[in-house]
Amino acid sequence: MSACPYQKLFIYEILGEFNLPPAIAAENFLGCWREGDCSYLFFTQKKEVEVKEILGESQAERYLSETEIDYEDWEAGHPLVPMRIADFYLCPLWDNPQPQPGEHLIRLDPGVAFGSGFHPTTKLCLQLISDVY
């Protein structure tokens, strides 16, 4: 098992739906989470200047905040390790997957896109998918 490849998260809160241009999204971008009237952009490096440039003239009304946190704090102390849930084998991108025969491999950045797998909703959703599949 190897460690997470980054230490910090930079989260930008933008009013409204927001899609990054591919050139910016490819560099240190982890994902976008939409909730309510806002979009939350997750990066592994500071991108305030680039995000504000993309917003252009609407920056003053749409750019709400930047939050910098330690990656460990995002996960609230849950280890980011491979785990089995139903017929699925969840494995962080930076780890070596070792699914058993018949298990469906899911490779992802668990801390940002999916969570650690410990939340009951995650377990129940994967169990339901396994039952229906």
Side-chain angles (χ1 to χ4, degrees), residues 58 66 69 82 108:
S58 69
E66 173 192 40
I69 63 172
L108 44 74

Side-chain angles (χ1 to χ4, degrees), residues 5-126:
Y6 42 87
Q7 303 301 314
K8 297 278 186 186
L9 290 177
F10 297 86
I11 306 165
Y12 299 92
E13 181 182 29
I14 310 298
L15 185 61
E17 187 172 324
F18 186 76
N19 294 305
L20 283 175
I24 299 295
E27 189 177 339
N28 307 112
F29 181 63
L30 296 174
C32 179
W33 169 15
R34 292 191 178 98
E35 186 171 321
D37 294 333
C38 293
S39 295
Y40 299 88
L41 310 173
F42 291 78
F43 289 91
T44 61
Q45 303 258 329
K46 191 171 186 68
K47 293 290 183 178
E48 179 182 7
V49 171
E50 292 89 338
V51 170
K52 285 182 175 181
E53 283 177 1
I54 294 165
L55 288 171
E57 293 180 15
S58 69
Q59 166 196 313
E61 54 209 45
R62 294 191 63 203
Y63 184 89
L64 302 177
S65 69
E66 173 192 40
T67 303
E68 178 183 339
I69 63 172
D70 289 333
Y71 190 82
E72 289 179 5
D73 292 339
W74 177 258
E75 273 306 305
H78 290 297
L80 298 176
V81 296
M83 66 180 346
R84 292 178 166 83
I85 300 174
D87 295 334
F88 297 94
Y89 183 80
L90 284 62
C91 186
L93 292 174
W94 54 84
D95 216 323
N96 183 24
Q98 298 178 358
Q100 298 295 315
E103 288 182 323
H104 303 283
L105 175 63
I106 299 176
R107 303 277 326 247
L108 44 74
D109 183 339
V112 175
F114 194 76
S116 62
F118 288 98
H119 194 279
T121 303
T122 302
K123 292 179 180 181
L124 289 172
C125 285
L126 288 173

